[in-house]
Amino acid sequence: MKNKDFRAQRREEKRRKFALKQQQRERDRARLAVERQKKTAEKREQTADQMPEQFVGRMEYSRRGGMVFVDSKWLKDSIIVPRDKMMGAQEGEKVVVRITRKARGNKMAEGEVLDVLGPDGNNDTEMHAILAEYGLPYSYPKAVEEAAEAIPEEISRSEIKRRHDMRDVLTFTIDPRDAKDFDDALSFRQNEDGTVEVGVHIADVTHYVRPGSIIDQEGYDRATSVYLVDRTIPMLPERLSNGICSLRPNEDKLTFSVVFTLDNEAQVKHYAIERTVIRSDFRLCYEEAQAIILQKDEPEAIAEERKGLAEALWALDGLAKQLRKRRFEKGAIAFDREEVKFEIDENGKPLSVYFRTSEDANKLIEEFMLLANRTVATHVGKLLKKPFVYRIHDLPDQDKLLDFSQFIRRFGYTLKTGSTRKETVSKNINKLLTQVQGRPEANLIETIAVRAMAKAVYSTENIGHYGLAFPYYTHFTSPIRRYPDMMVHRLLERYLDGGQPVQADEYEGYCKHCSSREQLAANAERASVKYKQVEFMQEHVGQEFDGVISGVTDWGVYVELTESKCEGMIPIRELEPADYYDFIEKEYCVKGERTGTVYTLGDQVRVRVTRADLARKQLDFELVR
């Protein structure tokens, strides 16, 4: 009898403790909810001044005129548009709308239509909507186009005379198959003493685009070309970017060049930074160049007219590999990630997903562009010691590195982060990246490693480039698509001609603008990829796929599909309806209070696609196992 009473007393005690624990959980949840509301309110207050004036949304008719339904982190409500402010927008069309009166109390915001983008769901409409959402232009002002058309294409004899004429040297370009703006070329010549001359030739854009001109102002405002999934929105009008400045084959072109003399070990014996005129002999895509590189052991397979080109590529490939090897020995970090690409039809519909990886041909171009950028930055920063535009990259955040080190332990990897020498840390990261190659968790670990890195930006205050392990680095090689490169060209011209130093503070402002625009462009590019992923997965709603947990938050678990790299979310409430999941940020996981089930970054899961919402660019999954 005593044992029964004792057991009953124990059961009652357990029930009491469980009830108390449940009450405490409810109090904790309520406290967390209040804290989240406070944080949200604080964030809204902090960002109120940053809220954009214009939004993109879908037009619907109402009694008062129109109502634009937007989906933005800044604004969740609709915007009322009076009839006389609709610009003829039809129901169901996407529009750009500017707020003329902010929402107050029960009154909704009011606005006016600035532009009608087209029917909702149309590919051009959606791509333009993405650009407009990030405040990026999707067309050129007529005056800018007219100014570009007025620029003469012919090169005068006097201009050729004042330049180093390199038209008789073997020269070629290597670019993506669909590229039209060829802003860099390589030349190759064997010297009698056994050394080689390698020219890195960059389109002389600033010869045609003068400071303060209407084209220059438009280029500065844009600051960068934008590369969406199915199109390029060029920084400069197409007459310049794809025509006059593009280093097309069999055409005389003006270039700004760094011409190197290299020995057999890829050591720079001499270099010259000079204005040149070139004539490209071959336009290669990366696949063609790669095929030639792979034919080194069977030279007889090369066509006679390409034998000189093949020998140049084989020599440059060998030099590039030595440059790359030394760069990593000095602490450069090797982030060679797969790039997601889509095969699309003439209407922009994605038909399939494929992945582009970096081959020897890509690395060849990369190494010589890096060499030119580094040489230009070192020449001005170290030798001339004058204000300049640098591309800088700070050391990784130590707290993020520590969290990353703890995270990868669950996969059996280690990363030593305690060293004060940046070369040691970067070598440890490289060792880890080599270890994970080919493993299921490789993409995830590389993604988290990138998140631990600082962002590279433009600045006049040089701190070096950590990721490349260069004490001096700039962007000189892409003036057709990046405004900082144009600034670098102008400063180089000024200093090589003996001009006075510029005001560093003034150029620092330009650098901040360009860094900001670069980030906006990157966000738009990611949004276009996300849109196409969702569009692609519309055909697969209801189907099951294998995936890897790629993100965890307090509102859901993100899963990247193994086959297509498309990412979707499982809402936290749908993981296990009978359980409550806590988000443990430092451990990159969510944990069920009742079941103890843990879902963590890197876990392999099986999911079913439940919804593909194009308007929100969002995929919804449910867990299968």
Side-chain angles (χ1 to χ4, degrees):
M1 187 70 178
K2 287 183 179 180
N3 287 338
K4 286 184 179 179
D5 290 342
F6 178 73
R7 285 197 294 270
Q9 189 177 355
R10 288 287 300 274
R11 283 196 296 270
E12 182 60 33
E13 181 68 18
K14 283 183 178 180
R15 279 196 291 269
R16 188 179 67 82
K17 285 183 177 179
F18 181 77
L20 288 172
K21 193 173 182 180
Q22 285 291 91
Q23 290 173 7
Q24 183 60 46
R25 283 176 178 166
E26 291 300 324
R27 286 195 291 270
D28 288 343
R29 288 174 192 170
R31 178 176 53 79
L32 286 170
V34 171
E35 287 178 359
R36 285 194 195 108
Q37 287 175 351
K38 282 183 179 178
K39 284 181 181 177
T40 302
E42 288 171 2
K43 193 171 182 181
R44 282 177 181 164
E45 288 177 11
Q46 290 170 0
T47 57
D49 294 336
Q50 303 170 20
M51 181 175 171
E53 289 189 348
Q54 67 180 52
F55 297 88
V56 176
R58 175 187 166 94
M59 174 67 76
E60 298 289 346
Y61 287 161
S62 69
R63 286 180 301 172
R64 295 180 55 186
M67 188 173 289
V68 179
F69 290 86
V70 301
D71 180 38
S72 166
K73 68 176 181 178
W74 306 96
L75 187 68
K76 295 298 180 186
D77 296 324
S78 304
I79 302 170
I80 294 173
V81 180
R83 292 187 194 279
D84 60 343
K85 303 289 185 183
M86 290 174 59
M87 275 190 70
Q90 301 297 306
E91 192 165 34
E93 288 189 317
K94 276 203 167 172
V95 298
V96 181
V97 60
R98 182 175 71 87
I99 289 181
T100 55
R101 189 195 69 199
K102 292 183 179 180
R104 287 194 187 92
N106 294 326
K107 288 187 177 182
M108 298 169 67
E110 191 170 295
E112 61 179 354
V113 173
L114 299 178
D115 197 7
V116 180
L117 299 177
D120 188 20
N122 173 273
N123 185 65
D124 285 342
T125 298
E126 298 302 336
M127 293 300 105
H128 288 168
I130 287 170
L131 293 166
E133 181 183 346
Y134 289 98
L136 297 169
Y138 42 87
S139 62
Y140 263 98
K142 186 177 179 182
V144 177
E145 295 276 17
E146 290 173 347
E149 290 298 324
I151 296 175
E153 193 167 352
E154 297 76 19
I155 303 172
S156 66
R157 290 183 180 179
S158 59
E159 185 59 40
I160 291 176
K161 280 183 179 180
R162 61 189 289 266
R163 292 171 178 262
H164 182 186
D165 191 342
M166 299 188 69
R167 288 177 291 178
D168 61 341
V169 183
L170 173 65
T171 304
F172 54 89
T173 60
I174 305 178
D175 292 278
R177 187 180 296 278
D178 56 354
K180 295 176 182 176
D181 52 346
F182 314 137
D183 51 12
D184 60 80
L186 290 179
S187 67
F188 180 84
R189 178 158 52 188
Q190 190 80 44
N191 295 325
E192 291 181 0
D193 62 358
T195 61
V196 296
E197 177 192 274
V198 180
V200 179
H201 306 287
I202 309 303
D204 194 353
V205 175
T206 56
H207 173 80
Y208 298 99
V209 182
R210 310 311 298 173
S213 67
I214 188 172
I215 299 175
D216 182 59
Q217 186 57 53
E218 182 72 18
Y220 173 74
D221 289 344
R222 293 172 180 245
T224 180
S225 294
V226 184
Y227 295 88
L228 303 186
V229 166
D230 66 338
R231 69 194 65 199
T232 298
I233 295 83
M235 181 182 77
L236 299 173
E238 287 193 9
R239 175 168 168 78
L240 287 167
S241 60
N242 295 356
I244 294 175
C245 295
S246 186
L247 306 183
R248 298 182 298 197
N250 305 313
E251 295 179 12
D252 292 350
K253 294 292 180 178
L254 300 181
T255 46
F256 216 148
S257 308
V258 188
V259 183
F260 298 96
T261 300
L262 298 165
D263 63 18
N264 291 331
E265 296 179 347
Q267 297 288 351
V268 177
K269 311 308 289 184
H270 177 265
Y271 70 86
I273 303 171
E274 53 191 356
R275 301 175 193 85
T276 54
V277 57
I278 68 164
R279 187 177 182 85
S280 175
D281 300 292
F282 299 97
R283 178 270 196 262
L284 300 174
C285 65
Y286 283 113
E287 291 83 359
E288 290 175 309
Q290 183 64 22
I292 294 173
I293 289 171
L294 294 176
Q295 287 180 305
K296 186 176 182 180
D297 294 331
E298 42 185 44
E300 67 281 354
I302 303 294
E304 190 61 36
E305 64 273 13
R306 288 200 165 195
K307 285 195 182 297
L309 171 66
E311 289 171 359
L313 282 173
W314 296 333
L316 290 169
D317 178 54
L319 294 170
K321 284 171 178 169
Q322 293 183 77
L323 289 170
R324 186 176 178 85
K325 181 173 180 287
R326 278 205 298 273
R327 190 158 58 84
F328 290 133
E329 286 172 350
K330 290 182 179 178
I333 300 176
F335 284 118
D336 288 331
R337 304 187 66 204
E338 287 183 332
E339 190 178 357
V340 178
K341 292 289 183 180
F342 292 89
E343 181 189 348
I344 56 177
D345 66 15
E346 65 277 5
N347 298 316
K349 182 179 178 180
L351 303 175
S352 63
V353 181
Y354 66 96
F355 307 102
R356 181 181 290 170
T357 54
S358 186
E359 304 286 352
D360 287 341
N362 304 78
K363 293 170 184 175
L364 184 160
I365 292 297
E366 178 186 24
E367 288 307 320
F368 282 103
M369 296 306 118
L370 290 175
L371 179 62
N373 287 333
R374 175 174 53 123
T375 301
V376 165
T378 305
H379 184 84
V380 177
K382 189 175 182 180
L383 298 182
L384 301 183
K385 299 184 186 304
K386 292 184 178 181
F388 202 49
V389 172
Y390 297 97
R391 181 70 168 176
I392 62 170
H393 185 222
D394 208 347
L395 275 65
D397 181 277
Q398 286 300 310
D399 290 337
K400 288 183 179 179
L401 266 186
L402 185 60
D403 289 345
F404 175 61
S405 175
Q406 292 173 345
F407 165 67
I408 62 174
R409 285 178 190 167
R410 70 191 64 204
F411 299 102
Y413 304 110
T414 58
L415 176 68
K416 295 178 182 178
T417 60
S419 175
T420 56
R421 294 186 62 204
K422 61 182 183 181
E423 295 87 353
T424 302
V425 175
S426 58
K427 284 179 180 177
N428 289 340
I429 293 174
N430 278 339
K431 182 179 177 182
L432 169 68
L433 295 176
T434 301
Q435 286 179 311
V436 303
Q437 287 305 307
R439 304 290 300 166
E441 64 272 13
N443 190 55
L444 175 67
I445 288 178
E446 287 178 358
T447 300
I448 304 298
V450 169
R451 290 176 189 170
M453 298 290 117
K455 279 188 171 64
V457 296
Y458 298 104
S459 179
T460 56
E461 298 177 14
N462 182 45
I463 60 169
H465 197 293
Y466 174 77
L468 295 172
F470 291 157
Y472 296 89
Y473 188 66
T474 190
H475 274 170
F476 162 78
T477 53
S478 295
I480 287 177
R481 62 186 180 90
R482 294 187 304 225
Y483 196 84
D485 301 56
M486 288 177 62
M487 290 196 287
V488 164
H489 280 219
R490 286 174 179 156
L491 290 174
L492 264 180
E493 183 175 21
R494 181 189 187 102
Y495 296 154
L496 292 175
D497 291 344
Q500 292 298 309
V502 296
Q503 291 294 321
D505 290 348
E506 179 184 356
Y507 273 77
E508 186 63 24
Y510 302 155
C511 288
K512 282 183 167 57
H513 166 77
C514 291
S515 297
S516 173
R517 299 298 284 183
E518 177 189 40
Q519 188 58 53
L520 282 176
N523 291 341
E525 289 162 19
R526 282 193 291 270
S528 79
V529 170
K530 187 67 178 176
Y531 183 88
K532 289 300 174 188
Q533 287 179 329
V534 175
E535 188 177 9
F536 176 69
M537 293 305 295
Q538 280 185 318
E539 305 290 330
H540 302 282
V541 171
Q543 295 180 19
E544 294 181 11
F545 297 91
D546 291 321
V548 175
I549 293 179
S550 55
V552 286
T553 67
D554 54 0
W555 60 84
V557 170
Y558 288 88
V559 176
E560 183 183 83
L561 303 185
T562 306
E563 184 180 341
S564 64
K565 305 296 183 193
C566 296
E567 188 180 60
M569 187 189 74
I570 307 169
I572 201 88
R573 64 184 178 276
E574 293 180 17
L575 280 175
E576 177 63 55
D579 204 352
Y580 177 83
Y581 280 85
D582 291 312
F583 170 49
I584 307 173
E585 187 174 4
K586 289 217 167 186
E587 295 183 22
Y588 300 95
C589 73
V590 291
K591 184 176 182 179
E593 287 189 355
R594 184 179 63 82
T595 62
T597 304
V598 176
Y599 294 103
T600 187
L601 217 58
D603 283 353
Q604 296 185 46
V605 291
R606 181 85 173 169
V607 297
R608 182 181 295 110
V609 182
T610 58
R611 188 172 65 154
D613 189 336
L614 271 177
R616 294 176 177 267
K617 305 181 192 70
Q618 183 174 310
L619 286 173
D620 287 345
F621 297 155
E622 66 180 7
L623 198 64
V624 177
R625 64 175 183 271

